[in-house]
Amino acid sequence: VIADGHHRYETSLAYRDERRAAEPSASRDAPFAFILACFANAYAPGSLLLPIHRLVRRGPPPDDAAWAARLPGWSRRDVPLPGSGALPQLLDRHLAPLRGVHAFAADDASGRLAIFSRPRGGPGELSVSAIHREVIEGVFGLDERAVREGAIDYPKSALQTALDLRAGRGVTALYLNPLAPEDVFRVTAAGEVLPQKSTFFYPKLPTGLVFRTYQETHGLQGNEFNVGAHHRSAGGELFFGGPGGFNAFIPQQVQENE
């Protein structure tokens, strides 16, 4: 299960295919055929699977009649929401107990938190999929193109979502329950992918780059280089100059000595 870093993973696959096309005789053990990955136990103590909420940015918020007309089959219960600070406790009290069914909470900054729920259509149906299909598309009329063009924000914090809503950055906040690890495994075992922004695994690994350090003992002109003393040739060869001369290399042809 690729739980995070899917953009980097997809980029790595595209880079691998590009290099294989350019070097058809390359070994299956070529460096570009590998990617650094971290594997973690989803059930280990401290491993959390948290929800990612939705902030609808466009269009007027639905009124009570629109919710009822566009969302048949869902039950609704309103609770007072005196302010954003009260939201986390209200979600724990009213939304979290509904993890066994499809459920979400809608907030339009009117002082009411609307709790919607309905039974699952089947054991394999994900709440986040039902919400995208029946709420984001069915109620708000936002198709995949509109979502790709930025009609939805995806805050990880419910409190921050409420604050963004009240700061005018959206029209309606949709608060979701988290998926269970079993949901993720069931979908991926079937060869399917989750809807975008379905899971927030915590703790997260820091994002960064992996560097391989070379020194004078590896053949560099020295361990220091001059600022601005660099050049890239039309053929992709890199030149770096320092007090002891310069080094030139093509990154794709750098090999490790056995």
Side-chain angles (χ1 to χ4, degrees), residues 213-225 246-247 249:
T213 303
Y214 293 99
Q215 300 177 340
E216 189 172 2
T217 55
H218 296 104
L220 297 183
Q221 54 80 34
N223 291 331
E224 296 182 0
F225 288 85
F246 69 89
N247 288 103
F249 62 94

Side-chain angles (χ1 to χ4, degrees), residues 3 9 13 24 32-33 65 82 86 104 108 111 123 132 170 175 204-205 209-210 212-213 220 222 227 237 246 257:
Y9 176 72
L13 291 182
F32 55 74
F104 69 95
D108 61 3
H132 268 259
Y175 308 109
K204 296 175 67 69
L205 295 176
L209 300 175
V210 177
R212 180 174 295 166
T213 303
L220 297 183
V227 176
E237 190 171 12
F246 69 89
N257 294 328

Side-chain angles (χ1 to χ4, degrees), residues 168-234:
R169 300 187 181 96
V171 297
T172 304
L174 305 175
Y175 308 109
L176 279 61
N177 275 325
L179 296 179
E182 293 81 3
D183 295 324
V184 178
F185 299 144
R186 183 177 65 252
V187 172
T188 54
E192 302 174 0
V193 295
L194 294 165
Q196 63 172 324
K197 305 297 182 181
S198 296
T199 58
F200 174 39
F201 284 84
Y202 184 86
K204 296 175 67 69
L205 295 176
T207 300
L209 300 175
V210 177
F211 290 90
R212 180 174 295 166
T213 303
Y214 293 99
Q215 300 177 340
E216 189 172 2
T217 55
H218 296 104
L220 297 183
Q221 54 80 34
N223 291 331
E224 296 182 0
F225 288 85
N226 296 333
V227 176
H230 56 81
H231 173 71
R232 183 180 187 276
S233 72

Side-chain angles (χ1 to χ4, degrees), residues 56 67 70-71 74 104 106 116 129-142 174:
V56 181
W67 279 114
R70 301 173 191 172
L71 209 57
W74 290 72
F104 69 95
F116 291 89
S129 300
I131 290 168
H132 268 259
R133 181 179 64 252
E134 300 178 27
V135 181
I136 292 177
E137 294 183 16
V139 175
F140 291 92
L142 299 174
L174 305 175

